Structure formats: structure tokens, C-alpha cells
Amino acid sequence: MAEPVMGNIPWEERPKGSTELVWRSARNPILTCSAVPGTRSVFNSAVAPFGDGFAGVFRCDNSAWMMNLHRGFSPDGVRWTLDPQPITWICEDEEIARLEYRYDPRVVWMDDRYHITWCNGYHGPTIGVGYTFDFARFHQRENAFLPYNRNGVLFPRKIRGSYAMLSRPSDRGHTPFGDIFYSESPDLVHWGRHRFVMAPAPGWQSTKVGPGPAPLETDEGWLLLYHGVITQCNGFVYSMGAALLDRDEPWKVLSRTRSTLLTPREDYERSGDTPNVVFPCGLLHEGPTGRLAIYYGAADTVIGLAFAHLAEILDFVKRDGA
Amino acid sequence: MAEPVMGNIPWEERPKGSTELVWRSARNPILTCSAVPGTRSVFNSAVAPFGDGFAGVFRCDNSAWMMNLHRGFSPDGVRWTLDPQPITWICEDEEIARLEYRYDPRVVWMDDRYHITWCNGYHGPTIGVGYTFDFARFHQRENAFLPYNRNGVLFPRKIRGSYAMLSRPSDRGHTPFGDIFYSESPDLVHWGRHRFVMAPAPGWQSTKVGPGPAPLETDEGWLLLYHGVITQCNGFVYSMGAALLDRDEPWKVLSRTRSTLLTPREDYERSGDTPNVVFPCGLLHEGPTGRLAIYYGAADTVIGLAFAHLAEILDFVKRDGA
Amino acid sequence: MAEPVMGNIPWEERPKGSTELVWRSARNPILTCSAVPGTRSVFNSAVAPFGDGFAGVFRCDNSAWMMNLHRGFSPDGVRWTLDPQPITWICEDEEIARLEYRYDPRVVWMDDRYHITWCNGYHGPTIGVGYTFDFARFHQRENAFLPYNRNGVLFPRKIRGSYAMLSRPSDRGHTPFGDIFYSESPDLVHWGRHRFVMAPAPGWQSTKVGPGPAPLETDEGWLLLYHGVITQCNGFVYSMGAALLDRDEPWKVLSRTRSTLLTPREDYERSGDTPNVVFPCGLLHEGPTGRLAIYYGAADTVIGLAFAHLAEILDFVKRDGA
Amino acid sequence: MAEPVMGNIPWEERPKGSTELVWRSARNPILTCSAVPGTRSVFNSAVAPFGDGFAGVFRCDNSAWMMNLHRGFSPDGVRWTLDPQPITWICEDEEIARLEYRYDPRVVWMDDRYHITWCNGYHGPTIGVGYTFDFARFHQRENAFLPYNRNGVLFPRKIRGSYAMLSRPSDRGHTPFGDIFYSESPDLVHWGRHRFVMAPAPGWQSTKVGPGPAPLETDEGWLLLYHGVITQCNGFVYSMGAALLDRDEPWKVLSRTRSTLLTPREDYERSGDTPNVVFPCGLLHEGPTGRLAIYYGAADTVIGLAFAHLAEILDFVKRDGA
Amino acid sequence: MAEPVMGNIPWEERPKGSTELVWRSARNPILTCSAVPGTRSVFNSAVAPFGDGFAGVFRCDNSAWMMNLHRGFSPDGVRWTLDPQPITWICEDEEIARLEYRYDPRVVWMDDRYHITWCNGYHGPTIGVGYTFDFARFHQRENAFLPYNRNGVLFPRKIRGSYAMLSRPSDRGHTPFGDIFYSESPDLVHWGRHRFVMAPAPGWQSTKVGPGPAPLETDEGWLLLYHGVITQCNGFVYSMGAALLDRDEPWKVLSRTRSTLLTPREDYERSGDTPNVVFPCGLLHEGPTGRLAIYYGAADTVIGLAFAHLAEILDFVKRDGA
Amino acid sequence: MAEPVMGNIPWEERPKGSTELVWRSARNPILTCSAVPGTRSVFNSAVAPFGDGFAGVFRCDNSAWMMNLHRGFSPDGVRWTLDPQPITWICEDEEIARLEYRYDPRVVWMDDRYHITWCNGYHGPTIGVGYTFDFARFHQRENAFLPYNRNGVLFPRKIRGSYAMLSRPSDRGHTPFGDIFYSESPDLVHWGRHRFVMAPAPGWQSTKVGPGPAPLETDEGWLLLYHGVITQCNGFVYSMGAALLDRDEPWKVLSRTRSTLLTPREDYERSGDTPNVVFPCGLLHEGPTGRLAIYYGAADTVIGLAFAHLAEILDFVKRDGA
């Protein structure tokens, strides 16, 4: 199966008078719990071009506050129809298939299919791995790592002949630390050659950092959107920045932003189940125009959409970078 | 004195198009600190039919942030007039009468009078017990338990020949745990035969649970509205669920909801002195119609009112129950 | 059955040159895990005159580190024979009878029998209550309080017509706080009229305090040996002091020692499963001579014995008292 | 240079029907991050009469969340123009001049110049000290104290022949404690004769207290606006109260408010980078009229302005005071 | 190279009168810091038959408290000569070779060489992997897992065609939790098919558990000695138990001891840099006789040796097992 | 008054076969609580040549665990007679004179008198300052700093024309952090020009560091003995190292030991009120011979004495230094 060609990326021009590198959709939040009956929140989700439009894997916490993944479809990337039933996973091993919880999915097209990773409950949070060809049938593989890990993000192609993944080793609770690491695999089952990528840095990313959507390959390196967290008097604040990773040895950080690209400001980002969260999980890139559409969870409650120009972001990462 | 007959329960029909089992009043928040001069917040309070209308005991934190109880009256259960002076308690024992703080009252009619319980400061939080015949004179008894305890809730009749109370043993601070227990008393002074009722459960009630308003007797058991708490990245979220307890041995849980019945969503529940709190303390039941009016504290700042049909709730507790 | 008359209290004279008010037995530790096969530690235990000699209830943690109570007998109060099997309790209620754990017993003769209290696991630590006439058959009552409580200690006679108990409300773990409270009961089942007795105080008792053996009635009031805890850089240190409580209103503290009467100094008190612990649970008093024999747990591992003269202790409590 | 004469203090009359002693500007928040490009927040700042209008030193956190001080000017105290560049400090010592972070400035006129103090990063937070004659050139002195300290506030004249400062010793993080102390200096470089002023007190100020703007001298003593903090279930709440200090021995508290004078209520105080914060740093006093204009940070995100009458505040501090 | 044949296993008969299943060497501690000049402690180390005698890899913390591995040799398993220089590792990758710290080694013979695993510092603790043919030259591979992990222990043969390892995922500090997991690898570089093995259990192993020496294959399954930890008032206590794992699916626990097999009792186990620690890392098994010699770290300071009969241990694991 | 000339420094030769740079007295512990009746511990104390022998200021915790300072005298520096009464301080200011607690003294001769500093309780720990000419009358000055501070240590001469002090800013409890800072004063009352000296470093000094006895001037710089702390599984371990500070700008560290010079090993250092503590507070230097006698607190319970050669220490600091 060939990589789907994206039709029209969702897009809004930068508002007049704005000098923001990343600007929010006027239609935000584009997705709330009203999209799925019996759901208390829809956030931290990933999308991809699919057929004539778009498909996605969405984190929906139900009214029992159980975290699970639902598929969804959209003609334009903004108006979404979500399956009210969670995804059923085809899996050979019963123990791996058993549901504890699933959340914060990422989706990336590679080879001939959509690869999906998420935070999967298996005696603690670890990285679940699966795939689908058609968003109809979903297959689950072995978990990539031992617990405790969050934010497993696949690169969209093999590197040095191996599959490659970024992730954030963690612990059992609301971890107050977090570095990004890189790992390789010959078969998407066994992982090794782990390399340290980056740690927290002063300011908005001083408590922890974790990878966002799948890295985007550019001539200058892999563009990685990531979240960073600072601890304020009344809790964490999650913002978004960007880093440029070496194309061949992606654990080498060429540059990363000192400043945030997106940070809580709007009511739906300030207030919700976790106040003050902007958490990017999905990214669309329109090659010819360099337009970017960024899907991010807001306040652990709803989904926001933001826009940017790739060239501007790249320029800023290099200029503002540390 | 005979049990007062409730006239018109406050009521609003379920909004068109809504499938919610519990729906909010369009007039929410029905009570704010503007109700009592010099008060910073009015919340977590209890009401009962009284005379032609309703009376209640209200938690008012004053502008020094001292927590105390005020009485209030209403012709319709929605528009309330609160006494700007805290309740004065008649009490034989000076040491028990001494005010540290009083908060989160419950009110229940039993025998010939209104019984009131609350969280009472006595070298730590414990359960204060009192009564009134007329909401004019209030009498205080001995504290029911040793510290540390919160959320003491009397059953509206004797069980197995004894008075019966639910409560949540606790500790000195913002306790990150909490189970519900049952205790019996021959005289409302000495308490024993303590039984475990229920513990936290996965999801919205995974951190702690505590009883809400006085249990409502039904043919199928005691209906207990309760609050459950989950710990998110930026703190606790308090929601409301329900349980069905055995009529004769109420420490036996017949069923309890896996899902929330009411959970923070509105601005006045999301934002306030304690963000993300829905905390039920009062319940009115109109026998013939099965209408329920639920009074709940919102964000530790204001009072909200919500409605439901008893039959639907009972049905849901059994169906959704674990 | 009449109160047993104590024959020879275990006794050693104060060592030459010593000015200590409380001095250790030269035979310390008098009891170690070697007393019961399969036991890792024997400590925090209580004794009483019985027949021609002495009987006791002992805390034995087995090699699975499960905490339980064993009976023991001694002709002289120093050489003990312990039943290798834990005590079996006769109890009407299955749920109360169920064993989670039992530890830190106290024994007191009252009316016609030996009353036993201990820390009993029932969804958290609370106070177990039981009795025996003969150290052959043991009966268990209802738990006295809701969790979380430790160190329940009965007075040896009714006060104001009620049974009376001291205890230390607590929480779920290795509680870093603790006050002593007083409660009354008409029937040893229902408890109320709770009164605050005393809180931590500067120095050796600045973290928490809890009652030791059953109070000893004297003309000047109830003599209560108690433990106090200070938090040092590398953890808690448990010492022993004494207080004098009003005979008729025992929640009124007439005096309490500013200084320790016994504090970790010997190797078997400094080193063990919990380093730096002296924890009194048993007390014998020879009326005619005023001799006191104090049994205390050492380092949560073994049992020590210490001696004192009642008159000297009383004098010191008043003189050194705050 | 002579002390500048204030022209028109910013002012709005108390709203009709209001009985508030301190009332908010209808134009709140008067300053937000939009005032300085590349800034995520502007708050906790200080102002002073300057020339025909007003000047100030403002805390601006930039988009990298680095905290620094900017100067600003206003014709009316409400509409402000801020320098987009942080203040450059002239300082003899390189190590002291080195920027870690600077925040929460206070400004006070004394002798012939404007003195500025702030929380200065030097291996932990301590008190930075500087001055300007003209808001054009700024000079930095030695830090007043060893770390860890916050909220250094100079008195506007010498006391007992020495410069005098209030401050709040602290620790490395989001300190959960805080008392106010007083210190003296012959030269604004060496500080000693430290005296305790006041500790937390029950209610809204039970966690920590810290001085606000420079104390205002009155016939009855120094009027000190200060912030107090309480710990709620989901974090701290910062409010404002007032104290009256002895004119000659300002470490002696003549009276302090039991109640808050200003406490989070509006959306911009409830929601932001640190929810539930009202934090006064600036104060203008119009002598002839007794009008007060109070500048306070709101939610660590924006600046609010509030008004009061000096005589009413003084009266209240004495009447409500403890 | 063929597996070395063990000559005389170090051995002492069970002391007269003892009924212990595991008994200590009368020569304990057999190794202290005096073995290596400039070392503050030697503990948690592993040994194997080598040539005519024995070789081992030893954890030596030097006088800067830097943790590293040294090789050692012994003719009899009791008297050891340690290389005063830490092992130098031959490693292709510079970043992996870089020393942060190395501790708690295990050694196992498999195929044609000695495999060594240890806790390796790489931006946090993870599992280092290496090998030697001759204890002269040592080769280091890639780290097995992402941080944070401790106690990686290889099985002595492939299972289901893969190399197999037990480990204990962890976090950054003195982790207060810990489960044992199982992982597989085709090449000792990439690891996957992670399976949960066992969690803490009541009593001595209620805080965390971790694998000890390499599992020993028996007809009844893999015998795993492991450490378990309980949290007492003044810290952790580390003891040793045993489990029997399924031969073909070793993540299935057939039985595990409810009781400890070895627990701190002697001075050198009670007192040291970490009081109350017994931590097994080395195991010798004499096939024909079933004799076991267990090497364990004591109090994070010295090495103890203990003995047992395999048949007795197996019998006990099954009998006492849960 | 002229500086006293030291007669015979206490001295023992390095034990045969030892290569230790610092070796313990064979008479250790040289001082225990038996030195002062009613005292539970004597430790962390300072000594100086006085008359024909030696005098000192000793930390004695009494049997109420109240911390205070006693003077003591010795003919040989080993056998000490302590005044059973705490030192009475002559002080002009009542509030400063008020006793909360006093501990961990240092003594240094400068100008014409003995200067004494200690940790002084004044609404938290800070640095008390005093002096004596004759160890008969003691004068107390103002506290040097605002709370919270520990380990204030004066240099034995003015530097850059000012008195100079090292100290360790701290917080309210058993602080888990600590850097050393330098401050200057014109008058021993007002302090400023604070400079950072050194922070924790890997290994034995990774949690906190604090200055020990007064620095010793040498041709190569100021020799500072200091304590460093590491956090192990069961708490802190305190060891001693040394640093060389620039003579003219002592906040510049020329070198500091990577290794410990003295670290807990003996029973009296391993076991006591705070296990695993070696804490140097006193230092004697015999100029002509270069002999050093070091007095250190052991396990917060007793005093140990150790010996070294100045030249060897200096050499080691430079050689081992980082």
C-alpha cells in the first residue's frame, strides 16, 4: 500500500497583526467530549492523512475515567467523527492484549502501513506498539520497553537500518522528571542501542521534557516538536518547543528552542482536568507549501489545533536554539 | 414533632437533547458568597424540608477564611436567605463547645428532630453531632469519634436497633486516601461495631471516597450519593457517584457506579479556591414523583443544584455498578 | 475470680554508683527471637501476675514478618516460655475475627479477668479488645475505634462509671505525629466522650507520644509511662517518660517529665529492625515495696527489663514535670 | 534631587453598593503580556511617581520563561509603556552582576534616589539591591543577604540611624513556610540586628506571609500591606492583608488584619500560570486625600490595580486586628 | 572453551543444634574494605568457578565513594585477592564505555564465556552487559535497557531460543517500589517480549523485590534467590527469599517463600553504610552434593557467605510457598 | 591579651602498618555523656589552647534532649572536665539572649580573645556569635544572619580589612541540601559581600557540605576541614574532607578532596542517635611539628579524636583535589 497523499491540510492564515510563529485555530477547541457519548474528555491524540481525508487515533477518557483509544475520521481535519467504541486490538498474546489503560497515541506512516504507539498499562506505564492498514483492523505487537515509560514516538523511516523510537523513561506516578532517549530495533519487537537525547533545560522545560508527534524529516535534520514542563507554585505548566536532531544520528541535538512555541493562554488550556497544559501529539505537514497543522491536547480535556510554517519554525529553532 | 411534608421540591426538567442522568440547574450557582456579607465562599451545605419551605445548614468561610456553619431558609429551595451570624450551639461541655472550626454539614430528619453532623475541629478534624427542632435553637452533643475523621453522615432511621453513621477516617491534612466505614450507637454518644464499607476503586474514585448526603431508603437498598477523588497532574478532581447499600446490613455494598454521575465541567466547578470540585452534601427526594434535587459544593466556593429521577439513578447504579 | 496476688516481682537493685531513676536488668535482653522457633523478633509485650508466677501476651513477628500475639508464662518474670503457636481468639463475628495483623499488646486485670488490647489490623490499624480468665481461652470483642489508631491502653478500673481507654489516633503508615486521647465506654464495645490528653512537647517527645502500659493508680493520680519520639537526621528515636493524670478526670495532665526516664543507649536498643527504640508495654508494681518492673521493646527486636522505685518516679514526675 | 511630587494618583471611586474596603479597577487587568513582545507574563511589579507621571520596575517573564526586570513609564499610572529590553545594571563586581534571574521588584524613594530591591538569583534566591536617579541608568549593589530569601522591602527612611529592610527567609523551592523579619544596615551593604516580625496566623495566612510594597508611614505606625498564603486541597491561595508596625521599632506588630483585604475572585486572579494569586508589590499614596492605589500581580500572569482610602484601612487594621 | 569444573565448593556444616535452612559462615564477614587499599566498602558481588579455584567481580566503593567493579581470585572461595585497579572494559562505543558508576555485578557462565551484568550509570541506572573468557580481558556490550533499571540477571542458558534476563525496573533514587520482570533477546543487544514475573508481597518483601544471583536450573524449575525489602520506622530492611520459576516460561512463578531464608541479625548486617541489609549476588552450586554457597552483601559494607542444601531449599520453597 | 601558646598537642603516632592520612585515637571515644550528669550526649564541640592546657565549648544535649553549650577544661586535650552548668551569656538585648537552643560550636582565637560561633535558635536556626577572654565570662553578640543557617565558622584573622565567616544556608528541618558561602563584616554585627564558595560534589559529599573547624592558614592557602553528606538507602552518612581556599579571596577554592579523610567505620560512629556520622568541629595545630589533632562528633552521641600531619593533608588536598 502506498503512502496516502494528503489533500487539503487544515489551515488558517496567521491572524492580522500577529507575529506568533504558531497560531491557534479560531475554531478551537476543535474536539471536546461531546464528540463521543459517555466520554469526559478527548485530548492528546494523533492524526494522519487517510483516503481523501484524515483518520486519527484519539484518547478518550470515559465517564468512569478509564483511558482508552478510539479511531476517528474527518474530511477536513477539523470536523471529526469518532467511533464511540474503543479500538479492538488483534494480538497473539493474551497477556499483552489485556487492557489496563491506553493513552496519548502517536500515529506515523512507514513502509506500507500506519504504525501506532501509545502509553500502555502493563504493570505500570510502558510503550504499546501496533499498526493498521486501514483504520478498520488494528494489530497489537509486544510492548517496546520494560515499564516505566511514556511518550514512545517512532521515526517515519528506518535509521542506520533499524527502526527507531524516542521515548521518555518515567516512573509510576506523575513523574517530576523526564529525559528523552533514543532506541533502535531490527523488528519492532526487540529494542536496544539506547542513547540519551536530551534533558530538561532552564525555564519552561526545567522539570521534564518528552517527544511530541513523530519527527519530521527536513534537509537540516529531524524536526521534533516536544513538550516541556515547569513546576510553578500551584503545579506543572506544559508548553511546546522544538528541536532539530541529526538526520543520521538523531540522538545528537543540533539545536533546540530556548523559548516556547505554544504555551497555555486560552481558557480551554488554562482550565480543565489538568490546568495549564498544551501537549502536542499530532502533526500534519503539507510538503509543497510547508504548512504545518499541529494537534495538541489542552488541559487534559479537549483538543486544540494550531498552525505554522515549517521554514519559520526551522529558522527559529536554529536562531533561538541553545 | 412530625416529619415535615415537603411542598414543592425545586425542579427543572432535563434539558432538551440531554441524556444526562443528573443535570445542572440553569440557575447555577444558586448560592455564592454574596449571600452573606463578609463571607468569601458558601459551599458544601445541607438542606431539608422545613415548614412551608426549606431550611438548611451552610458552610460559610468568612473573610478571615475561618470555617463555620450558618442556618438559612428558602421558600423554594433555590432562593436562600442566610443568617449572617454563625449558629450558636447549646452544649453542656465547655471543651466540646469551644470553636476550632466547623464545616461540611449534613442534615437529616429522624424521630422528632433534625440531626446535624459536620466536620468539627477538636485537636484535629472529627465528627460533630447536634440537633435542632426548629432551626432556632441548636444543640451540640459529644463528638462521635476520635480524630481524625471527616464526612460523618447519619442514616435517617435506626438500623438493627442502633443509630448508624457512615464516615471517612482521615488524617491531619489534605488526606490522599479515604475509605468509607459504618458505625453504630445506642445513644448518639458512644459508637462501636465499626464496619468497613468501601474503598477507592479505579478511575475517578481511585484516590479516596467519602459519603455525601444522608442515604435514601429505597426498596432495593440505601441509595448513597458519594464523592470520589482522582489525582491528576495538577491536583485532585472531585466527582459524584452512587452506591446501593444493603438495607439491613448497610456495610454491604450491593452495587456502586463505575462512572461518575456528576463531574467538574462548568466554570464555577473548574475554577475557585479548590479547582475541579463537585461535592454533594444535600439531597431532597419527592416521594410521589421520584424527583431528586442534589445540592453540591463547587470548587470549594459556591453551591450548585442538580436534578435527577430516583428510578433512573437506581437503575444506573445496578447496571453500571461494579 | 479474684485479682491474682503477685509473688516475687522480678528485681535487681540499682547498680552501685548509679544515680539513674530507671536502671536496666543485667540480664538484658531478657527475651529474644530464640524464645520461639520461626520467629524473627519478640518485643513490645505485656505481662501480668498469674497463678504463682507471671503470664504475658507477646508480640512475635514470624519469619515471614507477620505480626501476631503469643501467650507466655514465667515463674519469675525473667525466664519465659512462649507458646510457639499464636493465640486463637474466640469471636462471634467472622469479619472481626479475621487476622490481618496483631501487635503491641497491653494486659490489665479488671473486675474478674485479664483485659487485653492491641493494635489490630482491620482495613488499617485500630484497637483490638479481648479478654481471658486463664490464659488458656481468649475472647475477642469488637474493635474499639475506627481506624487509624495505635496504642489502646485500658485503665484498670471504671472511671466516672465507665470503662476508660487511652489511645493514639494515627494514620496508615509510619505516622510522623501522635497525640494521646481518652475515651469512655459503658460496655467495652461503644466508645465516646473522647477527650484530648496530651500532645508532643519539645525535645525527646517532639514528634509523637503514645501511652505505654496500663496506668498505675496512686494517691497522687494515675502514673502513666509513655513513649515519646524525636526525629533525628537519620530517623526516629523512641524514649520513655512519665506523666501524672488526674484520678477522676484522667484527661487532665497534672505533670509530665521534661526528661527521658529511659532512652536508647545499649547495643540491643541502638541496633535492630528499628534502630534506637525503647518502647514500654508492660509494668509490674509490687505494692508493699513500691518496686516497679518495666518491660520494654528494644529496637523492635528484643525485650528489655528495667527497674525503678515508684516513689522516686512520682517525685521526679512532679519535680521535672512541665 | 528632590522627592517627586505625585500629580494625579490613578483613581476610581468605590462602586455603588459596594462595601469593600479595597476595590478593583474596572480596567483590570491593567497590564498583560501584550505590553512587551516576546513576554509570556507581566506581574508582581512596583511603581513610583516620576516626573509628571509615573515610572516603574516590572517583572516580565519572557517566552523562554526567564524572569527579568523591565522599566516602564506611564502618564496616569494605568496606561503603561514598557521597555522591551530588560534593565541593564551597572555593577562593579562581575559575579554579582551576572544574571541568573530577577523578579518581584519593589521601588521606594529615599534620600535622593529611587531604591530598588528584588529577588535575585545568586546560587539560590536572595535579595538584590540597586538604585536609579532617573530610570535611565540603574546601579546594582551587593546582595543584602545570604540565600535563601525572598521579598526584600526597604523602609522609605532610616530607622534608628540605619537603613531598614523587611524580608522573608525561604528555601530553594516553592517554600511552604515563611515568616517576616527585619534587618538593619549602616551602608546598604552589610546587614545585621535581625529581628523577627511576624509569622503565619490562622486562616488565609496560615502557610506563609511576606511583605508587599514599601511600608507607608502614618501617625499610627508603619502600614504594611502583605501577602498571606493558605494551602487548599489543590494548592496555595495568595491573598492580601495589612499590618501596623511600630514607628520606632518596626519589628513590633501593633495590629494585623484577621481578614483579607483582597483575595482571588476574578477570572484573571483565579486562572493563569499560578492559579489563585493576589500579590501586592506596588503602592501609591496621595497624601492630601488619603487615596491609595495598589498594584498587585494576579495569577502570576497579569497586573491588577485596586483602590482604597488610607483612613479606612488604618481603621480596619486596628479594628479587625489580632 | 568448556565450562569450568568446580573443585571444592567452600563449605561449612550446619552448626550443631541449628535448624536454619541457610546458615552463615563462621568466618564472616569473609571480605571487607581492607581487601583493597583506598576502598571504603566491598559488597554485593558475584563469583564463579575459574581454573582450579574461583574468580569473581566485586563491587568496591572507593574512598571518594565512587562505585566500580574489580576482579578477584581465590583458591577456596573464602580467601580472596582483589585487583586494586577497577576492571577496564573493551568497548566499541565511546559513549557506552564512559564511566558514571558500576555496581552490584552478577556473573554467569553460558556458552563459552562468563557473562557479566551490573547496574550501569548512563543518565540514570540501567543494566550494563559484558563478558570475559579469562578474567583478564573484559568486553562491554550495549546497555540492555533504557534507564531506570537495577539488578539485571541473566539465565545460564537460552530459553525459547533467546537469551533471557530478569531485572527490576526502577527510578532515579532510592526507589521505594520494585517488581521483577523478564525480557528476551536474540543477540544480547536488543531486548523485548517483556513479561511481569512477581511483585512485592506481604511482610518482609512488601516494599520491593529484586533478583539475586543467576537462577539455578533444577528438575522442578529455576531456583531464584531474591531480595525483598520492608519499610520499618527507621528505614528499609533487606532480606533474602527464594522462588521457583517455570523452566520453559520463567515468568510464571510456581512458588515463592512467605518467609525469609536469611535476614539481618549479625552486627555486620545490622550496622554499616546502609544498616539492615542482606543482599545476595553470588551463588555456587556443587552438583553431586547439592551444596550451595551464597555470597551476599551485608549492610552495603562487607561480604558474607552462607551455606545451604539445594534439596532443603527446594523443599521449603514448595512447602512455605505462596 | 596575647594568643596562648600551645603546650603539648594531644598526639598518637600513626599505627604500625596503617597508611591512613588521618588516624583515630586509640582512646576513642574520648568524651561521652558520662562527662556531664544528666546529659544524653556530648558531641560536635570545639577546643583551643588555654593557659597551660586546653579549654573548649561543648555541645551537650541534656536528658530532655535540649541542646546547649558547656565549657570544659583539659590539661592534655584528652581528659576533659566539663562544667555541668551550661554557659551563661552576657548580652545587652533580651530577645537575642533568650535561649531556644544552641549547638555545634566553633572556637577561634583572633585579636585578643576567643571568638565563639554556634547554631543558635532564633525563630529557626541561625548563627550565634560571642566571645570570651577567659572562659569564665562569655559575651553574646547579635546573630550574624537571618535564619536559616548552620555551621558559621570565623576565619582567625581579618581578610581584606573585614572579619570573615563561612556558613551553610539551610532551612527549617533536616535540610537535604547545603552549599558553603563566605560573608564579610566590619564589626562582627553587620554582614555582607556574600560569596558562594562550594557546592556538593559527586560521591560522599553529594547531598550537602558544611565548614568544620576554623580554617588554618598555610602558605598555600586556607586549609578547611569540612563535612560532606551522602544519602544512602537508610539515611545520611557524614564524612570529613578538606579544601584549600585562596588566602586573599577565600571564596575561591583552589582544590578539594575527591576522597574522604575520615568516614564512619567504628561502632561509636556507626551507631548512636544519628547513625553514621563523623562531624569535625575542633582543630589543634602544632606549628613547629605540623601535627594536627581533630575533634569530631561521632553519631551525634560522643566525641572522637583523630590525628594527622599538616604537610600530608596539604599534599593530599592538592593531589586528590578536584
Side-chain angles (χ1 to χ4, degrees), chain C residues 40 63-64 174 236 272-273 275, chain E residues 231 234 258-260 263 270 276:
Chain C
R40 72 168 289 118
S63 58
H174 298 296
F236 293 146
D273 285 338
Chain E
T231 305
N234 277 343
R258 290 181 201 270
S259 305
T260 57
T263 188
R270 288 287 194 201
N276 286 322

Side-chain angles (χ1 to χ4, degrees), chain D residues 143 156 204 298 306:
Chain D
N143 294 318
W204 64 276

Side-chain angles (χ1 to χ4, degrees), chain E residues 40 63-66 174 208 234-236 238 271-276 300-301, chain F residues 202-204 230-234 237 239 258-260 263-264 270-271 275-276:
Chain E
R40 68 167 293 117
S63 58
W65 215 308
M66 292 295 142
H174 298 296
K208 51 182 173 178
N234 277 343
F236 293 148
Y238 287 73
S271 185
D273 284 337
T274 307
N276 286 322
D300 281 8
T301 304
Chain F
W204 65 276
I230 189 174
T231 306
Q232 293 296 96
C233 270
N234 277 342
V237 179
S239 305
R258 290 181 202 270
S259 305
T260 57
T263 188
R270 288 285 194 203
S271 185
N276 286 322

Side-chain angles (χ1 to χ4, degrees), chain D residues 83-103:
Chain D
D83 186 341
Q85 293 306 314
I87 292 168
T88 303
W89 296 88
I90 301 160
C91 181
E92 288 182 18
D93 190 283
E94 237 178 75
E95 193 175 348
I96 293 302
R98 186 173 51 85
L99 171 67
E100 278 183 29
Y101 50 78
R102 299 189 183 99
Y103 65 76

Side-chain angles (χ1 to χ4, degrees), chain C residues 71 87-90 116 131-139:
Chain C
R71 60 182 183 157
I87 292 169
T88 304
W89 296 89
I90 301 160
I116 304 164
Y131 61 90
T132 184
F133 293 98
D134 51 13
F135 285 89
R137 289 164 56 88
F138 291 80
H139 301 265

Side-chain angles (χ1 to χ4, degrees), chain C residues 33 40 59 61-66 174 208 234-238 267 271-277 300-301, chain E residues 201-205 230-237 239 258-260 263-265 267 270-271 275-276 316:
Chain C
C33 67
R40 72 168 289 118
R59 171 177 177 174
D61 294 3
N62 72 10
S63 58
W65 215 310
M66 292 295 144
H174 298 296
K208 51 182 170 176
N234 277 343
F236 293 146
V237 178
Y238 288 73
D267 279 356
S271 185
D273 285 338
T274 307
N276 286 323
V277 177
D300 281 8
T301 303
Chain E
W204 65 275
Q205 51 187 324
I230 189 175
T231 305
Q232 292 297 95
C233 269
N234 277 343
F236 293 148
V237 179
S239 305
R258 290 181 201 270
S259 305
T260 57
T263 188
R265 191 189 66 193
D267 278 357
R270 288 287 194 201
S271 185
N276 286 322
F316 185 73

